[in-house]
């Protein structure tokens, strides 16, 4: 229990992230530029996206940042009385910390600790006291938190960079819902959630980058799947025994191209997230995502950088046409899978518009600020409806020790 409290204090509560249950990026500089960073170095932020770029760090530097995440989620279950409800899970603070330094002329190291994934809703006290008042939201509360600690090494030889990182992951999942064995008998409505369950996982990430000309660079990265299993997390078949749920974080990979001059930087990334082959997400019917991201930066003569970007990916929930599946050892009907996705894990955001600034106060100290807006998306399936709109503000302090 102490372990859960300690790490949750660091990670905070993560609610409704954006590419599936992943944030579009972690550092404020990358988030301001559409979540790009595969083919362009961003200081210690590169630990989060492509570790090969930390080979360009000149000395020793660190980044301390956080994202204030503000989703607005509403749901409606037309199979009950059709009333809408707004999730109370509407604010979250997500930290990101990284450090990088040199080992030798060609070798550098980096360390990053960051909350990278999460989602959740909170419809407590929306169920009513009688079957006639029931909005069909089951007083549902879901909370998924996922943090990664990534020590990395990067090597540079001429125009080629290669990086590798070890992923040490911590996940925590809480699923709670008051569900009946007989919808017309209020005495059969019981809490089916088993409380917070957590697990550790391990993986690796690889990255490479190559400078074609002084102005043009390309890059690629690969993140392995990370296995996690949450014990006694929910009573899916309502037999009074809490069931386990495997929920692996999926494989990711991507490529990018970057262009820079003294005043201008532009980057374009394409990334794939393999939800459909990750244990747990495959049962929930999540589909793979291809993410297209564009970032731009213009540096003024006053140490000020102006940034903007755009990112697009189809929702992993697609059109809501889910099939029946075995979840937590229980065979679930298509309407059951639809219900859990839409009411508990509505990862339906597709577009992200980003803006930001960076300012260098001195050779050692700089700050980055980013604003990300995901327009309202709505999904309708099996007489259910959910909407999701997101805003977030990120800030980071960067400090060079030498």
């Amino acid at each position: 229990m102490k372990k859960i409290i300690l790490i949750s204090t660091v990670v905070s509560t993560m609610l409704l992230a954006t590419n599936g249950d992943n944030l579009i990026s972690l550092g404020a500089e990358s988030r301001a530029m559409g979540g790009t960073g595969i083919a362009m170095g961003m200081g210690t932020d590169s630990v989060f996206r492509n570790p090969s770029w930390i080979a360009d760090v000149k000395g020793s530097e660190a980044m301390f940042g956080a994202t204030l995440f503000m989703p607005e989620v509403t749901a409606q279950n037309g199979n009950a009385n059709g009333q809408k409800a707004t999730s109370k899970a509407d604010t979250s603070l997500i930290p990101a910390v990284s450090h990088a330094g040199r080992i030798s002329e060609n070798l550098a190291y980096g360390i990053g600790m960051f909350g990278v994934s999460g989602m959740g809703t909170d419809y407590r006290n929306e169920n009513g006291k009688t079957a006639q008042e029931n909005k069909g939201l089951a007083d549902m509360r879901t909370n998924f938190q996922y943090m990664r600690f990534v020590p990395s090494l990067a090597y540079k030889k001429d125009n080629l960079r290669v990086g590798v990182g070890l992923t040490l992951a911590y996940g925590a999942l809480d699923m709670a819902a008051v569900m009946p064995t007989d919808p017309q008998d209020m005495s059969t409505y019981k809490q089916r959630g088993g409380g917070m369950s957590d697990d550790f996982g391990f993986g690796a990430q690889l990255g490479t980058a190559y400078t074609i000309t002084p102005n043009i660079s390309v890059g690629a990265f690969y993140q392995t799947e990370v296995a996690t299993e949450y014990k006694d997390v929910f009573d899916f078949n309502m037999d009074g025994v809490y069931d386990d749920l495997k929920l692996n974080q999926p494989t990711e990979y991507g490529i990018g191209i970057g262009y820079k001059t003294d005043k201008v930087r532009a980057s374009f990334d394409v990334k794939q997230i393999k939800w459909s082959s990750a244990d747990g997400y495959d049962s929930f019917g999540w589909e793979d995502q291809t993410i297209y991201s564009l970032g731009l930066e213009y540096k003024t003569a006053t140490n000020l950088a102006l940034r903007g970007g755009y990112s697009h990916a189809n929702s992993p929930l697609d059109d809501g046409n889910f099939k029946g599946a075995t979840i937590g050892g229980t065979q679930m009907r298509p309407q059951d899978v639809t219900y859990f996705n839409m009411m508990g894990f509505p990862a339906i955001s597709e577009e992200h518009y980003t803006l930001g600034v960076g300012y260098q106060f001195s050779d050692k100290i700089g700050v980055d600020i980013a604003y990300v807006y995901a327009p309202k998306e709505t999904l309708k399936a099996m007489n259910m409806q959910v909407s999701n709109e997101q805003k977030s503000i990120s800030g980071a302090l960067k400090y060079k020790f030498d």
Side-chain angles (χ1 to χ4, degrees):
M1 184 67 180
K2 291 181 179 178
K3 173 178 61 177
I4 295 174
I5 294 174
L6 175 61
I7 299 183
S8 296
T9 302
V10 176
V11 178
S12 187
T13 302
M14 304 185 63
L15 312 172
L16 275 298
T18 47
N19 289 327
D21 62 27
N22 289 347
L23 294 172
I24 64 168
S25 193
L26 284 306
E29 182 177 353
S30 174
R31 288 178 62 79
M33 297 178 65
T36 59
I38 297 175
M40 183 169 292
M42 297 187 177
T44 62
D45 287 11
S46 294
V47 174
F48 306 142
R49 178 61 69 210
N50 182 349
S52 68
W53 283 107
I54 63 175
D56 282 15
V57 171
K58 300 300 181 184
S60 176
E61 57 184 80
M63 184 277 290
F64 306 92
T67 294
L68 181 64
F69 193 68
M70 298 165 286
E72 182 177 339
V73 181
T74 59
Q76 182 178 15
N77 185 358
N79 299 308
N81 61 24
Q83 297 183 52
K84 287 185 178 180
T86 299
S87 169
K88 302 176 183 67
D90 57 5
T91 307
S92 175
L93 185 65
I94 306 166
V97 180
S98 59
H99 169 70
R102 301 218 64 81
I103 297 174
S104 66
E105 181 180 351
N106 300 104
L107 190 63
Y109 70 90
I111 301 172
M113 184 180 71
F114 43 95
V116 63
S117 305
M119 55 185 169
T121 58
D122 187 351
Y123 297 115
R124 286 176 293 181
N125 296 323
E126 296 287 353
N127 230 21
K129 296 182 179 180
T130 68
Q132 290 70 36
E133 295 174 342
N134 184 6
K135 295 182 182 180
L137 301 178
D139 279 346
M140 183 171 282
R141 177 174 59 86
T142 58
N143 181 11
F144 175 54
Q145 308 171 19
Y146 198 80
M147 174 182 137
R148 296 191 186 202
F149 175 75
V150 184
S152 305
L153 288 174
Y155 179 81
K156 181 179 180 180
K157 180 66 174 178
D158 299 325
N159 293 335
L160 177 66
R161 304 160 186 82
V162 178
V164 59
L166 174 65
T167 298
L168 310 175
Y170 169 81
L173 176 64
D174 186 7
M175 298 174 62
V178 178
M179 305 182 76
T181 53
D182 180 359
Q184 298 305 314
D185 183 355
M186 293 303 293
S187 67
T188 69
Y189 281 73
K190 298 183 184 299
Q191 176 56 251
R192 306 300 175 178
M196 183 72 77
S197 177
D198 63 339
D199 194 16
F200 290 93
F202 303 91
Q205 63 179 33
L206 306 172
T208 186
Y210 187 80
T211 303
I212 300 174
T213 72
N215 303 107
I216 300 175
S217 57
V218 293
F221 89 100
Y222 182 88
Q223 168 70 56
T224 66
E225 183 172 327
V226 180
T228 43
E229 183 173 13
Y230 303 99
K231 299 287 189 179
D232 303 323
V233 71
F234 196 82
D235 181 8
F236 287 100
N237 61 1
M238 294 185 285
D239 65 352
V241 179
Y242 297 123
D243 303 306
D244 304 338
L245 178 64
K246 289 185 178 181
L247 198 65
N248 292 359
Q249 289 307 108
T251 297
E252 301 179 31
Y253 52 84
I255 58 174
I257 184 169
Y259 173 82
K260 69 175 183 178
T261 66
D262 291 340
K263 289 186 174 293
V264 175
R265 290 196 303 167
S267 54
F268 178 72
D269 292 350
V270 180
K271 184 173 70 170
Q272 179 89 180
I273 304 180
K274 305 297 288 184
W275 300 110
S276 69
S277 57
D279 277 356
Y281 292 101
D282 58 351
S283 298
F284 280 101
W286 284 35
E287 297 188 356
D288 297 342
Q289 282 186 295
T290 301
I291 302 153
Y292 303 92
S293 304
L294 175 67
L296 298 170
E297 178 188 81
Y298 176 75
K299 291 184 178 179
T300 70
T302 57
N303 295 329
L304 178 68
L306 306 176
R307 298 168 180 146
Y310 173 79
S311 178
H312 174 82
N314 291 336
S315 163
L317 304 190
D318 196 29
D319 59 1
N321 186 23
F322 301 108
K323 299 178 181 179
T326 300
I327 298 176
T330 300
Q331 182 60 39
M332 310 288 278
R333 302 169 300 172
Q335 55 265 44
D336 300 325
V337 177
T338 302
Y339 186 87
F340 274 100
N341 274 320
M342 295 183 67
M343 302 302 158
F345 305 105
I348 61 175
S349 296
E350 296 192 342
E351 293 184 295
H352 301 87
Y353 298 89
T354 70
L355 292 171
V357 296
Y359 189 80
Q360 199 67 32
F361 290 98
S362 67
D363 291 340
K364 290 190 173 185
I365 301 176
V367 296
D368 294 314
I369 297 174
Y371 174 78
V372 178
Y373 174 67
K376 182 178 179 179
E377 299 282 353
T378 299
L379 179 64
K380 298 179 181 179
M382 292 194 175
N383 208 25
M384 290 175 269
Q385 176 176 310
V386 65
S387 297
N388 188 353
E389 180 182 12
Q390 301 170 353
K391 306 178 185 71
S392 65
I393 299 173
S394 303
L397 173 67
K398 293 184 175 179
Y399 184 81
K400 295 183 179 181
F401 296 94
D402 51 34

